[in-house]
């Protein structure tokens, strides 16, 4: 067993490492040249992630220095966390999800379909695979989530990020 002080030191060391690496990546991402075609530029995503990591690790470092433990929470938003379950692994589910992802990528690459329809089908199929149910309620939820996710992603890529979709 490890002591709480040892756990806090380990948390602090990890957060300092993440902070330093994030700062280094932030500096490098800010040096990327502007893009002629991308309105946000090539560094937008790494800059955003680095800033988020810097803020979160700074908060974690302050909490660790104040003596708070970061690894355990006293409350949970998820029911059943920390309770014994009869969970069993589903390796064929992982294989099915992997194969459906490969099929999705191949359809996007080689089929003359617009991005919206294969994306909706992929999200619906993945939702049904993960739920392992074909009940009417599950099917309706999968259809709504698939159609919504596909429409939102299509809008974001086509109109906000101005990416040419297949």
């Amino acid at each position: 067993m490890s002591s709480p002080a040892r756990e806090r030191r380990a948390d602090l060391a990890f957060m300092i490492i993440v902070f330093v690496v994030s700062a280094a990546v932030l500096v490098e991402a800010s040096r990327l040249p502007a893009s002629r075609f991308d309105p946000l530029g090539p560094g937008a995503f790494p800059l955003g992630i680095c800033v988020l990591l810097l803020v979160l690790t700074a908060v974690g470092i302050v909490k660790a220095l104040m003596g708070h433990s970061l690894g355990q929470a006293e409350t949970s938003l998820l029911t059943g966390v920390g309770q014994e379950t009869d969970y069993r692994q589903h390796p064929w589910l992982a294989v099915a999800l992997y194969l459906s992802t490969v099929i999705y990528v191949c359809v996007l690459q080689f089929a003359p379909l617009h991005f919206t329809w294969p994306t909706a089908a992929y999200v619906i199929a993945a939702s049904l695979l993960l739920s392992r149910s074909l009940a009417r309620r599950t099917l309706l939820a999968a259809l709504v989530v698939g159609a919504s996710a596909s429409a939102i992603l299509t809008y974001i890529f086509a109109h906000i990020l101005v990416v040419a979709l297949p």
Side-chain angles (χ1 to χ4, degrees), residues 13 27 43 45 54 64 69 83 85-86 94 110-111 116 159:
V27 168
F45 186 75
L54 288 169
S69 177
Q83 298 175 357
T85 62
D86 59 345
F110 301 114
T116 306
H159 299 296

Side-chain angles (χ1 to χ4, degrees), residues 139-163:
L139 185 59
L140 180 62
L143 289 171
V144 168
V145 168
S148 301
S150 177
I152 290 168
L153 287 172
T154 301
Y155 179 79
I156 289 172
F157 284 134
H159 299 296
I160 295 174
L161 299 176
V162 192
V163 175

